[in-house]
Amino acid sequence: MDRIQAVLARRAERPLVIPFVTAGFPEPGATVPVVCAMGAAGADMIEIGIPFSDPLADGPTIQAASETALAGGMTLRGVLTVVREVRLSPEMDDVPLLLMGYCNPLLRYGLAEFVRDAADAGVDGLIVPDLPPEEAQELSALCQPVGLSLVFLIAPNTSRERIGTIDSCSTDFSYCVSITGVTGASGAGGDSTVEFLQRVGEVASKPFVVGFGIKNASDVKRLGPHAAGVVVGSALIDRLAVAADRVSVAVEFVGELVAAARSCGRRD
Amino acid sequence: MGDRDGYFGEFGGRYVPETLIPALNELEQAYRSAKSDEAFLLRLEDLLRDYAGRPTPLYFAERFSEEVGAAVWLKREDLLHTGAHKINNTIGQVLLALRMGKRRIIAETGAGQHGVATATVAARFGLECVVYMGEEDIERQALNVFRMQMLGADVVPVSSGSKTLKDATNEAIRDWVTNVATTFYVIGSVVGPDPYPRMVRDFHRVIGRELRGQHMEVSAKPPTHLVACVGGGSNAIGFFYDWIDVGPRLIGVEAAGEGVQTDRHAATLTKGSPGVLHGARSLLLQDADGQVQLAHSVSAGLDYPGVGPEHAWLNAQDKAEYVSVTDAEAVEAFHWLARVEGIIPALESAHAVAHVRNMAATGLSADDRLVICLSGRGDKDVAAVAARSGATGHG
Ligand SMILES: Cc1ncc(COP(=O)(O)O)c(C=O)c1O
């Protein structure tokens, strides 16, 4: 069974914890140790952000992280090198790695070449926030034969019918955007997010995770029971930005999130 | 044309976060129904006539013609309310916003001309208006910032990225993603996700359409060349559209900044490569890693690393040709037109004027009949040009 399916099978025990870090933030060498440490600390999957000059779905934290990463020389090729290095670590053998990035760098790299190199490096899935299913046919066709999982986004204003379409386009699971807004926004843990996730649950045949603006253990406790997993990005990056020891800060934060997820208990 | 599915050949599309897809569908529907609604079209026509000042004159530029040895007319968009073609589009989009019941308007602006045109029409209809503007442009275009504020708009400085139009556009899109239920995003050029490029084009088509009747009145033969500056490409596409495949050569003039051989220019169609920016696939200025590069032009309205997808398509099919003009040539043409015709053009429009002068240098024939889209007036640029002239010792 592939890594993503194996991890998704565990979702009945507790909601999955999926941290997000921007590759190359705050410096080129920072990402590999942080990712490996988070995997060891119990992160179920890890999203690695590909920095882009014009991240229009991102709030100030990830915008700034992308700018810093680019200024430090991170490139898409560099991101794939990060993935290869992470895969050298035996404790990361089973942890799915997802790349999240805007489509222009992928197009520039060449979609076919990128998909081939990403799969080869050990990437398990892709999230491309500015590529709705209508524009993703070519990428889907390329990902399928090499087993790269495509994750499409569902928003709170997505119609019921369209939720069904997106669910069927996503390979293994979809990603629910907690609020109409950008990453790091406030208001993710509210009633309307819970109602939204319940609505998705009525339609979707595949699992779905939730992200954008999930800040802490209490958000995980609130939303975890309604999704297969929770993605935490800006809140982690905010901590890394001011950390003296980034690895221990990441380990501690992921530990808190995993504990909160455990407290949600089994659901089936 | 390739309007089906929101594509122009391989260019266009909707490369946006999922949250905007329902909003774009809603906009598409509203636009489609408005286009065939007699009452909407009449209201638009009334406002274009009595509020904006259409039709704009087609002016025979006599001394200009003598100087270049061919007949030259200027399509006087500079005489419109707020001083540029931009208001054709903002009236159209704000009427659509009203039709859709959205009472909060947002826009991005570079030079401030689109911001002023949006703030103006929002004021006219009593709508809330927020304009995103890069910090760098706020400094360069202080006069337009005051104008927008006077019109009741909230001008929000954008400090991310390059602090110019590209980043102001990102920020406007982020606002729209966040406030999508209540907000109408008035895009300032023929860029962005479908349906914006074709919708904005349609609101500017009046420029080229008026020219048909006007030119027939003054000349038995149709024009041989239509020349317009291209930033995002809205004045050019509005000017060209009804003349595609009809006869005249269609020439778009981009900003070569300090030269297309340097890295300080905005000549997207000449030097760009295919990619996705601000929701559409088109040509753009980017590095080997697919990061969008900074554009440069003395004219803030042309200082954009992307271009409308329909221009990329016209270019690919050779239905229009695209050339570029440097900062120095544009500034020179700015001074020149002021003295020869008593018209101070916007620096953007001065690029089109400069190109016609360049054409004259390599040979225009006495039978040539050129029409330049004079997209805006130059009051906003006088201070910047004066400062530059001081620096370079120009007259
Ligand atoms: C007078 C004038 N002309 C041209 C432009 C460029 O825009 P577009 O290429 O969309 O016509 C601008 C943009 O601000 C402008 O103010």
Side-chain angles (χ1 to χ4, degrees):
Chain A
M1 198 160 31
D2 72 14
R3 291 188 194 101
I4 290 180
Q5 281 298 337
V7 166
L8 285 172
R10 301 204 301 256
R11 73 183 185 280
E13 286 152 40
R14 62 165 174 84
L16 308 172
V17 170
I18 309 168
F20 168 100
V21 284
T22 300
F25 175 79
E27 57 199 33
T31 309
V32 173
V34 165
V35 167
C36 292
M38 292 193 300
D44 297 284
M45 309 191 207
I46 296 172
E47 279 183 24
I48 299 177
I50 303 165
F52 181 49
S53 54
D54 295 81
L56 46 74
D58 285 302
T61 294
I62 296 179
Q63 284 174 44
S66 296
E67 263 182 59
T68 304
L70 291 173
M74 186 50 68
T75 60
L76 182 49
R77 253 165 240 287
V79 175
L80 294 178
T81 304
V82 165
V83 172
R84 263 186 231 104
E85 287 174 17
V86 169
R87 283 282 172 237
L88 293 176
S89 159
E91 58 207 347
M92 292 300 292
D93 270 354
D94 302 327
V95 182
L97 298 174
L98 298 154
L99 294 188
M100 178 157 182
Y102 295 87
C103 63
N104 196 57
L106 313 190
L107 291 169
R108 183 68 175 177
Y109 193 103
L111 278 189
E113 293 77 7
F114 171 70
V115 166
R116 179 197 65 205
D117 292 354
D120 186 58
V123 172
D124 299 284
L126 302 176
I127 307 168
V128 189
D130 57 348
L131 205 65
E134 290 82 351
E135 307 292 0
Q137 280 153 10
E138 189 185 352
L139 186 60
S140 289
L142 289 165
C143 284
Q144 208 247 336
V146 296
L148 268 192
S149 184
L150 262 186
V151 182
F152 288 102
L153 274 60
I154 299 173
N157 56 345
T158 305
S159 69
R160 232 184 136 78
E161 186 192 349
R162 196 170 159 82
I163 292 173
T165 308
I166 297 172
D167 170 70
S168 68
C169 291
S170 290
T171 314
D172 297 295
F173 66 98
S174 300
Y175 184 138
C176 294
V177 175
S178 64
I179 33 141
T180 58
V182 292
T183 56
S186 54
D191 288 346
S192 61
T193 304
V194 171
E195 282 159 27
F196 162 50
L197 295 175
Q198 286 167 342
R199 217 159 9 93
V200 176
E202 287 163 17
V203 181
S205 66
K206 293 182 185 127
F208 52 89
V209 302
V210 59
F212 279 40
I214 297 179
K215 291 188 161 51
N216 49 38
S218 91
D219 289 343
V220 171
K221 286 183 196 163
R222 176 113 173 90
L223 298 180
H226 306 282
V230 290
V231 182
V232 179
S234 299
L236 171 61
I237 290 173
D238 283 339
R239 282 170 171 75
L240 294 177
V242 296
D245 177 355
R246 285 188 290 268
V247 165
S248 56
V249 163
V251 165
E252 192 185 327
F253 188 43
V254 168
E256 283 170 31
L257 300 174
V258 169
R262 284 215 181 90
S263 77
C264 295
R266 271 195 80 82
R267 57 274 152 79
D268 17 26
Chain B
M1 301 304 296
D3 275 8
R4 212 166 45 88
D5 299 324
Y7 268 86
F8 308 95
E10 66 191 279
F11 302 108
R14 286 184 179 176
Y15 295 82
V16 293
E18 178 58 30
T19 311
L20 293 183
I21 296 286
L24 291 169
N25 286 336
E26 188 192 1
L27 176 61
E28 222 264 291
Q29 261 171 12
Y31 178 54
R32 190 162 353 113
S33 85
K35 261 205 313 195
S36 54
D37 176 353
E38 207 54 39
F40 178 89
L41 295 175
L42 276 177
R43 193 155 185 225
L44 177 60
E45 207 181 291
D46 281 353
L47 284 162
L48 286 176
R49 186 186 59 234
D50 301 333
Y51 188 66
R54 300 212 73 90
T56 58
L58 179 67
Y59 165 71
F60 178 66
E62 191 178 342
R63 291 188 59 214
F64 191 152
S65 300
E66 277 165 23
E67 295 266 349
V68 298
V72 178
W73 286 268
L74 305 178
K75 180 63 177 155
R76 301 289 309 273
E77 295 298 293
D78 62 315
L79 293 177
L80 285 172
H81 184 36
T82 71
H85 69 292
K86 299 280 178 188
I87 199 159
N88 299 325
N89 170 46
T90 59
I91 290 176
Q93 288 200 52
V94 168
L95 284 185
L96 263 186
L98 290 170
R99 188 181 172 88
M100 294 169 72
K102 312 252 179 192
R103 302 206 54 92
R104 180 173 180 269
I105 299 295
I106 58 171
E108 84 294 341
T109 198
Q113 289 301 104
H114 173 61
V116 167
T118 305
T120 296
V121 184
R124 160 70 183 75
F125 288 101
L127 302 177
E128 182 187 349
C129 180
V130 178
V131 180
Y132 290 93
M133 189 167 186
E135 274 179 351
E136 189 131 316
D137 290 332
I138 284 182
E139 237 167 75
R140 289 199 280 190
Q141 307 284 337
L143 182 66
N144 274 343
V145 177
F146 290 130
R147 289 172 80 193
M148 288 184 271
Q149 287 167 340
M150 206 166 285
L151 291 157
D154 183 10
V155 180
V156 180
V158 176
S159 61
S160 58
S162 64
K163 305 176 175 55
T164 63
L165 176 58
K166 161 177 99 71
D167 307 280
T169 307
N170 291 335
E171 211 49 40
I173 293 174
R174 293 184 188 114
D175 178 315
W176 199 28
V177 168
T178 306
N179 302 296
V180 62
T182 57
T183 297
F184 189 106
Y185 178 21
V186 176
I187 282 190
S189 191
V190 283
V191 299
D194 179 71
Y196 280 106
R198 57 192 160 105
M199 182 174 84
V200 174
R201 173 200 70 205
D202 289 349
F203 287 136
H204 283 302
R205 269 179 75 175
V206 63
I207 307 173
R209 206 180 276 149
E210 279 176 5
L211 176 62
R212 283 184 163 250
Q214 288 173 324
H215 200 269
M216 266 192 301
E217 274 175 32
V218 296
S219 164
K221 296 184 196 158
T224 53
H225 302 75
L226 302 190
V227 186
C229 67
V230 176
S234 66
N235 87 90
I237 206 85
F239 190 45
F240 293 167
Y241 194 71
D242 282 36
W243 298 84
I244 294 171
D245 291 329
V246 170
R249 280 171 62 188
L250 308 177
I251 305 173
V253 186
E254 296 191 295
E258 293 174 8
V260 291
Q261 74 288 353
T262 72
D263 60 3
R264 288 178 54 78
H265 63 79
T268 312
L269 288 152
T270 320
K271 300 290 280 189
S273 52
V276 168
L277 177 65
H278 298 144
R281 191 180 165 98
S282 183
L283 295 177
L284 61 108
L285 301 178
Q286 58 183 326
D287 69 14
D289 190 43
Q291 308 299 336
V292 181
Q293 283 176 321
L294 299 191
H296 164 81
S297 170
V298 65
S299 127
L302 303 184
D303 195 350
Y304 182 66
V307 68
E310 193 164 13
H311 283 292
W313 178 228
L314 290 176
N315 182 47
Q317 296 173 293
D318 289 325
K319 286 182 186 285
E321 41 194 303
Y322 296 89
V323 297
S324 61
V325 152
T326 64
D327 285 352
E329 291 169 317
V331 170
E332 171 71 28
F334 178 96
H335 288 288
W336 183 82
L337 192 71
R339 298 210 181 157
V340 170
E341 291 291 348
I343 295 171
I344 300 177
L347 270 175
E348 291 80 12
S349 325
H351 284 71
V353 172
H355 180 65
V356 171
R357 297 182 73 209
N358 288 347
M359 289 170 74
T362 55
L364 280 170
S365 107
D367 289 340
D368 283 336
R369 296 170 302 281
L370 300 93
V371 187
I372 298 173
C373 184
L374 206 72
S375 57
R377 68 174 188 234
D379 308 41
K380 69 184 175 62
D381 298 314
V382 167
V385 170
R388 192 184 157 99
S389 301
T392 60
H394 187 106

